[in-house]
């Protein structure tokens, strides 16, 4: 087994020989034990130096347990079985008398980075802010063994039991000094400070992104600084630009929250996390319930460190109905009609971030009844939906879209949703499932509805199978919506509008507007609006497919049958003062 991540760092620092690291990694895998835990338990390397490397590598302060005030230990704050499982030691820090004890942070001492995964559980259980510090693993475990060996907390009062345990291992009775210095950050007199500075910084970034209704957060390390941006209404905006030295710690914090391997920095990783976003209103008279936002987290190694992108997955998207999608009445009617069929293939196409998944979930919401068995396979599961069997792709175990579809076919399905058709095998199974009494919904990356037909044919799907299965194709984009509060009329000639593609009648009635900017929006835009083309299949289109017609011919035939193209839909939004003509042109339709 080739040493990577922390194992490689330990080799480079001289703490382990390559042969020792390889042997320890192999043994840890055999014993199903974390790598660092094995090193500490077997005494393979000097535990004090190991703790120093972990502290430096992951950006956490290093604590000398011999300098801990014995009255600061508070094992009673957590269940002993929890402490034994995660091998962490909680410490309290005296707070000024003017402040309640709950404002003081709870210091969590750890030795193995795997233990950091329990921080959020500790925070939720205790209701206190958390700061994590690294300590000598052998010394920490020795202390924990003494503390956890105590039969009950009642046998000794207050900190006496802990004092006795520390005395047994000759711990120094000196007081833990300034926690701000311990954390390597300036102290704070703010009584409302409820997190360590780094944790608070990351939480503020997440909170700002949620308040701005951002769709993504980008954390990008560079040589001299790190850049943190969020995508709002389709455009990236800078939130912060911290120094480069903080980038590893910020990224490690996010990886801990997403349950990722913080020691692995050379390979991409994918994870998920949930963050509280404040209270959400419930029915009248009932207490407010906490509202949560799920994040999909993706890491990727770059020249100056790991880049992290977080996709915000607001569960409100799973509650959208068809009339919330922004389709015209006719487009919505066509989608609804296709969903009412017992079989067939419905495709939603468009680039990443065009709202394809939301459109599919809106359709599933209409179909989600007790009478239907609905299964989905996604990579990953973006939104959780009650009453639907959701499966995530896992390539490490060989579970891909194609194998999941094969399994679904043995599960008596009524409706199947495939996150994306990417290859011939998946396309072939999806098409055949749609031909044999199942309603199949999926996405495809193409520029237009007609282009999806050409894409499937190029994948190797036979034309006759496609004609017998495909029911509807939707192509869509999301475009910035003009702010209603500050938009102003654009003095534009009808001739220019006609040249852009509007009919003479549409140009004469159009109310074209320009962005201004106010306190309610960002540079004159607020939110996004959907622009779509919805193409139902017909005998004429099937005949064109069988004859090998090109994409423009199929698109022209669909237009003659009444389909509004993406360009026409965008111009209709321009005429209704929803978007600018410049944004419509930027779609390059």
């Amino acid at each position: 087994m080739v040493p990577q991540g922390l194992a490689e760092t330990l080799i480079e620092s001289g703490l382990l020989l390559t042969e020792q690291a390889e042997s320890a990694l192999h043994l840890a895998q055999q014993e199903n034990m974390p790598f660092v835990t094995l090193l500490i338990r077997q005494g393979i390397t000097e535990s004090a130096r190991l703790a120093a490397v972990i502290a430096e590598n992951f950006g956490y302060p290093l604590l000398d347990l011999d300098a801990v005030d014995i009255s600061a230990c508070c094992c009673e704050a957590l269940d002993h079985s929890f402490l034994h499982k995660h091998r962490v030691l909680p410490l309290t820090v005296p707070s000024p008398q003017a402040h309640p004890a709950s404002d003081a942070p709870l210091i969590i001492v750890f030795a193995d980075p795997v233990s950091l995964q329990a921080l959020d559980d500790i925070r939720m259980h205790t209701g206190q802010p958390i700061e994590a510090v690294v300590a000598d693993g052998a010394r920490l475990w020795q202390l924990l063994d003494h503390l956890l060996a105590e039969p009950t907390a009642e046998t000794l009062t207050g900190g006496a039991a802990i004092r006795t345990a520390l005395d047994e291992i000759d711990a120094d009775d000196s007081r833990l000094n300034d926690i701000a210095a311990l954390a390597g950050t300036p102290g704070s007199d703010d009584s409302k400070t409820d997190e360590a500075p780094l944790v608070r910084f990351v939480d503020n970034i997440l909170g700002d992104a949620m308040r701005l209704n951002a769709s993504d957060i980008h954390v990008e390390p560079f040589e001299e600084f790190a850049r943190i941006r969020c995508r709002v209404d389709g455009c990236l905006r800078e939130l912060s630009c911290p120094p480069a030295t903080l980038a590893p710690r910020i990224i490690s914090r996010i990886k801990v929250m997403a349950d990722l391997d913080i020691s692995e920095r050379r390979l991409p990783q994918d994870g998920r996390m949930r963050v509280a976003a404040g209270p959400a209103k419930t029915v009248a008279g009932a207490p407010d319930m906490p509202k949560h936002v799920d994040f999909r987290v993706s890491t990727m190694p770059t020249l100056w460190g790991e880049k992290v992108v977080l996709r915000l997955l607001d569960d409100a998207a799973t509650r959208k109905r068809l009339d919330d999608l922004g389709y015209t009445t006719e487009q919505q009617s066509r989608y609804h009609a296709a969903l009412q069929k017992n079989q067939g293939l419905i495709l939603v196409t468009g680039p990443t971030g065009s709202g394809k998944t939301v459109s599919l979930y809106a359709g599933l919401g209409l179909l989600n009844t007790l009478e239907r068995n609905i299964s989905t396979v996604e990579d990953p599961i973006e939104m959780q939906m009650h009453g639907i069997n959701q499966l995530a792709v896992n390539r490490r175990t060989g579970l891909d879209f194609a194998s999941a579809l094969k399994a679904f076919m043995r599960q008596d399905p009524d409706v199947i949703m495939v996150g994306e058709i990417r290859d011939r095998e998946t396309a072939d199974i999806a098409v055949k499932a749609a031909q044999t009494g199942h309603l199949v919904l999926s996405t495809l990356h193409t520029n237009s509805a007609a282009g999806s037909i050409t894409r499937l044919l190029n994948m190797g799907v036979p034309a006759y199978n496609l004609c017998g299965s495909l029911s509807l194709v939707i192509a869509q984009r999301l475009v910035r919506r003009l702010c209603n509060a500050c938009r102003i009329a654009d003095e534009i000639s009808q001739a220019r509008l006609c040249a852009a593609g509007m009919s003479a009648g549409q140009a004469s009635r159009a109310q074209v507007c320009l962005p201004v900017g106010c306190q309610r929006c960002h540079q004159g835009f607020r939110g996004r609006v959907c622009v779509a083309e919805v193409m139902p299949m017909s005998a004429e289109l099937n005949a064109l497919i069988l004859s090998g017609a090109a994409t423009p011919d199929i698109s022209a035939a669909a237009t003659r049958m009444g389909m509004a193209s993406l360009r026409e839909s965008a111009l209709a939004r321009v005429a209704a003062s929803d978007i600018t003509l410049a944004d419509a042109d930027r779609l390059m339709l």
Side-chain angles (χ1 to χ4, degrees):
M1 183 176 295
V2 179
Q4 295 179 342
L6 180 61
E8 185 178 23
T9 302
L10 294 175
I11 294 173
E12 293 173 350
S13 63
L15 285 180
L16 289 178
L17 299 175
T18 302
E19 296 78 9
Q20 289 178 309
E22 292 175 348
S23 176
L25 286 169
H26 181 70
L27 182 59
Q29 187 178 47
Q30 281 187 329
E31 299 290 335
N32 193 24
M33 182 186 303
F35 174 62
V36 173
T37 296
L38 179 75
L39 295 180
I40 298 172
R41 182 167 297 179
Q42 300 288 341
I44 297 174
T45 186
E46 186 180 344
S47 59
R49 292 182 62 194
L50 174 63
V53 171
I54 291 173
E56 180 180 0
N57 201 39
F58 297 117
Y60 286 93
L62 182 64
L63 173 67
D64 181 4
L65 282 174
D66 290 339
V68 171
D69 182 353
I70 54 177
S71 65
C73 300
C74 58
C75 287
E76 67 276 6
L78 294 167
D79 184 75
H80 280 200
S81 62
F82 182 92
L83 296 178
H84 180 78
K85 175 182 178 181
H86 296 286
R87 310 301 290 178
V88 295
L89 173 66
L91 305 175
T92 56
V93 177
S95 59
Q97 295 181 356
H99 307 323
S102 60
D103 283 340
L106 187 66
I107 309 304
I108 300 299
V109 187
F110 73 94
D112 189 339
V114 172
S115 304
L116 291 170
Q117 299 174 2
L119 290 184
D120 286 334
D121 291 339
I122 297 173
R123 184 182 295 105
M124 292 181 63
H125 177 77
T126 63
Q128 288 182 260
I130 301 297
E131 291 189 17
V133 297
V134 185
D136 180 332
R139 190 74 165 158
L140 173 63
W141 289 11
Q142 186 182 21
L143 174 58
L144 281 170
D145 287 341
H146 280 81
L147 294 176
L148 300 181
E150 294 293 332
T152 61
E154 289 79 12
T155 56
L156 294 170
T157 60
I162 301 168
R163 180 184 299 274
T164 300
L166 285 171
D167 288 343
E168 289 179 0
I169 59 173
D170 299 322
D172 192 289
D173 191 24
S174 60
R175 175 166 296 275
L176 178 65
N177 293 321
D178 189 5
I179 187 59
L182 177 68
T185 58
S188 173
D189 294 328
D190 185 0
S191 63
K192 296 182 179 180
T193 296
D194 61 356
E195 297 286 0
L198 179 68
V199 173
R200 191 166 62 249
F201 176 81
V202 174
D203 288 348
N204 287 341
I205 292 295
L206 300 179
D208 288 344
M210 288 185 283
R211 282 189 292 273
L212 291 170
N213 291 321
S215 60
D216 303 88
I217 304 172
H218 294 242
V219 182
E220 303 162 299
F222 296 101
E223 182 177 13
E224 298 180 354
F225 64 92
R227 183 172 62 188
I228 301 177
R229 298 184 292 174
C230 67
R231 189 177 296 277
V232 181
D233 300 337
C235 297
L236 284 171
R237 298 167 52 181
E238 186 173 281
L239 288 179
S240 180
C241 194
T245 54
L246 284 182
R249 298 180 63 189
I250 294 169
I251 293 168
S252 292
R253 168 60 183 164
I254 295 172
K255 290 172 72 174
V256 167
M257 295 175 69
D259 198 19
L260 297 177
D261 183 359
I262 59 176
S263 66
E264 179 56 76
R265 299 183 178 184
R266 301 174 63 179
L267 295 174
Q269 295 188 68
D270 292 297
R272 190 184 183 98
M273 66 188 192
R274 171 168 289 188
V275 175
K281 296 297 182 182
T282 56
V283 296
D288 290 347
M289 299 297 291
K291 181 178 181 295
H292 294 87
V293 174
D294 289 326
F295 290 78
R296 189 179 72 192
V297 182
S298 172
T299 71
M300 181 183 70
T302 65
L303 177 62
W304 300 108
E306 287 181 289
K307 175 183 177 180
V308 178
V309 176
L310 302 91
R311 167 68 57 89
L312 282 75
L313 308 171
D314 193 341
D315 61 359
T318 64
R319 298 189 294 272
K320 285 186 179 293
R321 299 173 298 176
L322 294 189
D323 52 4
D324 296 327
L325 298 178
Y327 297 160
T328 65
T329 302
E330 184 178 3
Q331 290 172 340
Q332 181 180 325
S333 177
R334 289 177 174 177
Y335 189 19
H336 186 275
L339 289 169
Q340 298 307 308
K341 296 180 180 180
N342 291 327
Q343 67 181 52
L345 175 62
I346 299 174
L347 292 176
V348 183
T349 76
T352 300
S354 59
K356 300 186 298 296
T357 303
V358 172
S359 295
L360 287 183
Y361 271 100
L364 291 179
L366 181 67
L367 299 171
N368 190 14
T369 64
L370 289 175
E371 293 77 22
R372 291 188 178 96
N373 174 22
I374 304 177
S375 297
T376 73
V377 54
E378 304 167 70
D379 183 21
I381 296 172
E382 293 198 15
M383 306 166 193
Q384 299 177 18
M385 199 167 191
H386 178 73
I388 289 180
N389 307 291
Q390 296 177 275
L391 177 65
V393 166
N394 188 341
R395 292 183 179 81
R396 292 181 179 177
T397 62
L399 179 60
D400 55 13
F401 285 117
S403 58
L405 273 174
K406 292 177 182 177
F408 284 168
M409 297 303 292
R410 296 188 290 270
Q411 293 279 314
D412 185 31
D414 295 303
V415 181
I416 297 172
M417 194 269 272
V418 184
E420 183 183 347
I421 294 178
R422 297 176 178 174
D423 52 57
R424 177 176 180 173
E425 186 178 10
T426 304
D428 187 57
I429 299 173
V431 166
K432 290 179 179 178
Q435 286 180 308
T436 56
H438 306 94
L439 184 61
V440 182
L441 292 77
S442 189
T443 69
L444 201 63
H445 284 272
T446 59
N447 290 327
S448 65
S452 63
I453 294 174
T454 304
R455 176 73 184 280
L456 290 173
L457 292 173
N458 290 338
M459 282 185 180
V461 178
Y464 56 86
N465 279 348
L466 191 58
C467 292
S469 61
L470 192 58
S471 297
L472 183 81
V473 184
I474 302 172
Q476 65 181 53
R477 305 286 191 277
L478 293 178
V479 187
R480 296 182 298 176
R481 185 196 293 269
L482 282 163
C483 175
N484 291 330
C486 64
R487 65 188 181 188
I488 60 172
D490 183 10
E491 300 297 333
I492 186 171
S493 67
Q494 292 187 23
R496 183 181 171 190
L497 294 178
C498 290
M502 289 189 187
S503 64
Q506 187 182 30
S508 64
R509 298 187 302 269
Q511 298 179 348
V512 184
C513 288
L514 294 173
V516 176
C518 65
Q519 293 182 346
R520 296 185 178 183
C521 66
H522 177 65
Q523 297 179 352
F525 298 95
R526 186 178 183 184
R528 291 189 288 179
V529 63
C530 180
V531 172
E533 62 181 18
V534 180
M535 185 180 76
M537 298 306 294
S538 65
E540 181 181 351
L541 292 180
N542 286 336
L544 288 172
I545 294 173
L546 291 171
S547 66
T551 298
D553 297 330
I554 297 174
S555 181
T559 301
R560 289 195 302 270
M561 295 168 54
M563 181 191 77
S565 68
L566 280 168
R567 177 65 179 177
E568 291 170 339
S569 297
L571 291 175
R573 291 291 188 183
V574 173
S577 305
D578 290 331
I579 67 176
T580 65
L581 182 59
D583 277 352
D585 291 337
R586 196 172 291 117
L587 290 176
M588 299 178 67
L589 305 175

